[in-house]
Amino acid sequence: IRVNCGPTDVLAATVGGGGGGGGGGGGGVTSVNGATGAVVLDDGDVKSVVTALTSGTTVTVDCSLGRNFTITLGHNVGTLTLSNLAGSGYATEIEIEIKQDATGGRTFALPASFKALGGSDTAIASAANAVTVLSAKTFDNGTTWRYAMQESA
């Protein structure tokens, strides 16, 4: 069983198969997550849905939609809210690709519960059209998030 971000983000169906033995033509679908659309292929590759977030002074990440998000900033983000975490006994992971718009200079505030891993940036890149990737994980239902954040070329 594979858990990604939200409480319903668990492998929901097993498809195809083909039992043991050789052959079978590779590249088939092994399973599909009905809640998030994540697809696991025979070779173990996972294809996940990417959800676009809406820029505003407050940004809400609904973890029931998956774990991969993008946002193009048109505002300074003062509040980041995360909803629909996996719940007690499960880890929740997110990745957000944060893009500056053509103006640049936008800020993206992280909640106090976010603790940077060693060597991580603590602010997003500010140049026009710059991209920063934020990866975060909580093991305690959001009390503490451990994150890594780096500017991307």
Side-chain angles (χ1 to χ4, degrees):
I1 294 179
R2 184 172 168 272
V3 177
N4 274 340
C5 188
T8 59
D9 194 12
V10 177
L11 236 29
T14 299
V15 183
V29 175
T30 301
S31 54
V32 176
N33 180 321
T36 65
V39 176
V40 179
L41 304 178
D42 286 345
D43 61 5
D45 282 351
V46 177
K47 309 296 184 204
S48 297
V49 172
V50 177
T51 302
L53 301 172
T54 302
S55 181
T57 57
T58 297
V59 171
T60 300
V61 175
D62 180 350
C63 292
S64 70
L65 298 176
R67 68 177 298 248
N68 299 299
F69 300 89
T70 62
I71 186 168
T72 299
L73 299 179
H75 305 82
N76 290 327
V77 177
T79 304
L80 175 65
T81 303
L82 295 110
S83 65
N84 295 314
L85 304 183
S88 181
Y90 297 94
T92 300
E93 292 181 79
I94 60 164
E95 286 195 316
I96 306 174
E97 180 185 66
I98 304 164
K99 299 177 187 177
Q100 290 281 358
D101 63 8
T103 301
R106 313 288 186 184
T107 59
F108 194 93
L110 297 174
S113 60
F114 274 59
K115 309 299 180 195
L117 298 173
S120 290
D121 294 341
T122 55
I124 62 170
S126 62
N129 301 308
V131 175
T132 302
V133 177
L134 167 67
S135 299
K137 188 171 192 171
T138 181
F139 294 95
D140 57 13
N141 206 27
T143 301
T144 304
W145 287 85
R146 306 291 179 199
Y147 78 89
M149 185 164 64
Q150 296 288 313
E151 181 176 2
S152 176

